[in-house]
């Protein structure tokens, strides 16, 4: 059994605790958190780095900015220390220890459970043995481990911002437009789900529909006239232009 | 049984033919299509308006631009004639007949089947009797009929462009970034599906995550530096600004 010390108690840390609780190949033997009020059922919780136990892997699941500093505070040398961030390079970790990355590629919200088995876990290490350890841990909670370099992970994180954070913001605009016109936002749910599930069988290029795809300037102009919010207009214009430009490159 | 004549043979028309074939409350008794090569199994197909049969409802599923003209060519008076468009007002239909709208709110692609039962159908008519007929037809193929006015439908169509067409274009950008960095786009599928399914339980406002939400300027700048395509940069900047502005209004 691989023994893990988890550092952090935020969204990602909480979801990792639930995921690891469901199997026996790897076990979180201790959680470190700054938050002195916090304790976790059945797992020892500490608030001082001097109390950290010996373990096989130290998993740092904290904000990007704190990763480097925390990796320097781990009171061991030569251990495998990995972070869970999409945007921090492996090299940001202290050289006191063997370095790696264990990045679950998903959007985590408090109070919304996820099926961890389906989440891709991007792993990276400095040598083959450590990569094997991370692969074993990843496979203990997920069916989709991927070996991804720091450079690829950076690209992946940018792509994730487009397909998740920006997409959610477009849902927000859709929801605002519905609210302003006394339409239940729920009516758009099947469309949203179908648009997302389509890409499992059709490339986004083939799946594209709508006025911009058809270069239907009459509808485009009617939509722009309908929108009164300047920022919504700007987004409508820019994305419409981008869809048309993209098609012209084909 | 309600007898329907369907005019059109594109994406929406094809999906309607499949949907109506699965029940007995309403039946497509004839299909009109301009395309003389085209015939449909088990349904009479005609290519001339003079051959249109008497029916209870004429369902016009053609491009937005052709709706008005086609409604004028139907060789009957006082019949219920409805179109299936999200963006054309009821009043665009000829006054020779009773007018209505039957708009299935979904993205239809050739070669991708959909579960019609889950698709909201937005109906509109000029009197209560016609509205009842459209409601019966809608309920024969869908569990979600909604009474939506032309003005609301316009808003809904704009909202649909944001949450479907523009969202799909962001998937396309995500896919481009993956391809350029030798990452399988498949790795983003669980994230895309989770982002979409989240909104059934969390409002888009509450579901928002990512660098813009956290006002994490370090990551935002690193992403902008990573992007080399000017249009991708512009979209990243505008959507990031819009997320931040939106939060400041709360």
């Amino acid at each position: 059994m691989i023994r893990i010390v988890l550092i952090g108690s935020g969204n990602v840390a909480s979801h990792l605790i639930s995921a690891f609780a469901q199997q026996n190949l790897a076990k979180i033997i201790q959680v470190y958190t700054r938050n002195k009020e916090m304790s976790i059922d059945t797992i020892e919780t500490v608030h001082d780095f001097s109390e950290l136990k010996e373990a096989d892997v130290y998993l740092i699941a904290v904000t990007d900015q704190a990763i480097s500093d925390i990796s320097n505070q781990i009171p061991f040398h030569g251990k495998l220390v990995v972070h869970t961030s999409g945007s921090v390079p492996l090299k940001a970790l202290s050289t006191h220890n063997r370095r790696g990355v264990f990045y679950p590629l998903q959007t985590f919200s408090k109070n919304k459970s996820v099926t961890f088995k389906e989440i891709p876990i991007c792993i990276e290490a400095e040598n083959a043995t450590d990569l094997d350890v991370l692969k074993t841990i990843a496979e203990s909670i997920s069916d989709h481990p991927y070996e991804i370099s720091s450079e690829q992970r950076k690209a992946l994180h940018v792509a994730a911002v487009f397909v998740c954070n920006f997409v959610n913001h477009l849902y927000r605009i859709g929801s605002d437009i519905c609210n302003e016109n006394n339409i239940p936002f729920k009516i758009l749910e099947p469309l949203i789900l179908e648009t997302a599930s389509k890409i499992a069988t059709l490339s986004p290029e083939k799946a594209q529909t709508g006025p911009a795809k058809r270069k239907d300037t009459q509808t485009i102009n009617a939509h722009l006239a309908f929108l009164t919010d300047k920022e919504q207009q700007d987004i409508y214009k820019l994305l419409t232009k981008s869809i048309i430009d993209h098609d012209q490159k084909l």
Side-chain angles (χ1 to χ4, degrees), chain A:
Chain A
M1 194 194 64
I2 299 168
R3 293 162 308 153
I4 300 168
V5 166
L6 177 69
I7 297 168
S9 60
N11 265 342
V12 175
S14 309
H15 282 95
L16 284 171
I17 289 169
S18 311
F20 280 111
Q22 287 162 40
Q23 52 74 52
N24 294 309
L25 280 169
K27 189 181 173 186
I28 296 176
I29 57 165
Q30 191 182 49
V31 173
Y32 166 93
T33 165
R34 270 191 312 188
N35 182 350
K36 297 215 165 130
E37 308 298 306
M38 185 151 180
S39 71
I40 291 142
D41 287 352
T42 75
I43 306 180
E44 183 197 352
T45 311
V46 297
H47 311 288
D48 195 309
F49 284 106
S50 67
E51 297 176 78
L52 285 200
K53 278 186 180 166
E54 290 252 1
D56 300 305
V57 181
Y58 295 81
L59 203 53
I60 304 180
V62 301
T63 56
D64 291 356
Q65 287 69 22
I67 289 171
S68 186
D69 179 48
I70 282 178
S71 75
N72 271 304
Q73 294 192 53
I74 293 176
F76 299 102
H77 281 73
K79 293 286 188 183
L80 180 55
V81 173
V82 308
H83 72 67
T84 59
S85 165
S87 51
V88 173
L90 176 144
K91 289 194 192 311
L93 293 166
S94 160
T95 50
H96 294 162
N97 288 292
R98 285 141 46 212
R99 303 177 293 183
V101 178
F102 187 92
Y103 168 46
L105 178 52
Q106 189 51 282
T107 169
F108 297 104
S109 295
K110 284 240 156 80
N111 310 321
K112 168 80 177 74
S113 69
V114 289
T115 310
F116 229 97
K117 280 276 161 213
E118 289 163 15
I119 298 178
I121 299 188
C122 305
I123 54 172
E124 183 183 5
E126 292 178 291
N127 64 64
T129 316
D130 288 344
L131 198 65
D132 275 349
V133 172
L134 294 183
K135 201 173 170 214
T136 305
I137 300 179
E139 284 173 345
S140 77
I141 55 173
S142 160
D143 292 336
H144 305 285
Y146 285 85
E147 196 187 331
I148 294 283
S149 71
S150 283
E151 202 49 35
Q152 284 177 312
R153 190 157 36 78
K154 196 171 176 178
L156 197 51
H157 193 241
V158 177
V161 167
F162 278 92
V163 304
C164 167
N165 305 148
F166 289 166
V167 160
N168 184 73
H169 186 61
L170 296 183
Y171 297 160
R172 206 159 153 179
I173 293 174
S175 161
D176 288 346
I177 295 172
C178 283
N179 290 341
E180 283 155 20
N181 292 277
N182 300 313
I183 303 162
F185 180 53
K186 213 175 168 41
I187 198 174
L188 288 172
E189 261 176 39
L191 179 65
I192 285 172
L193 278 175
E194 172 66 12
T195 305
S197 54
K198 236 184 197 183
I199 55 120
T201 50
L202 279 179
S203 70
E205 208 159 278
K206 292 222 171 79
Q208 189 68 51
T209 56
K213 173 72 188 176
R214 297 192 304 270
K215 292 198 189 70
D216 173 355
T217 46
Q218 200 178 328
T219 301
I220 292 167
N221 290 334
H223 285 180
L224 286 171
F226 174 86
L227 292 169
T228 50
D229 181 289
K230 172 76 169 60
E231 207 157 58
Q232 288 176 2
Q233 275 182 346
D234 288 344
I235 293 169
Y236 192 104
K237 277 184 208 163
L238 183 57
L239 290 174
T240 294
K241 181 177 177 298
S242 183
I243 290 171
I244 294 172
D245 288 350
H246 216 289
D247 277 344
Q248 275 166 349
K249 278 186 220 152
L250 294 182

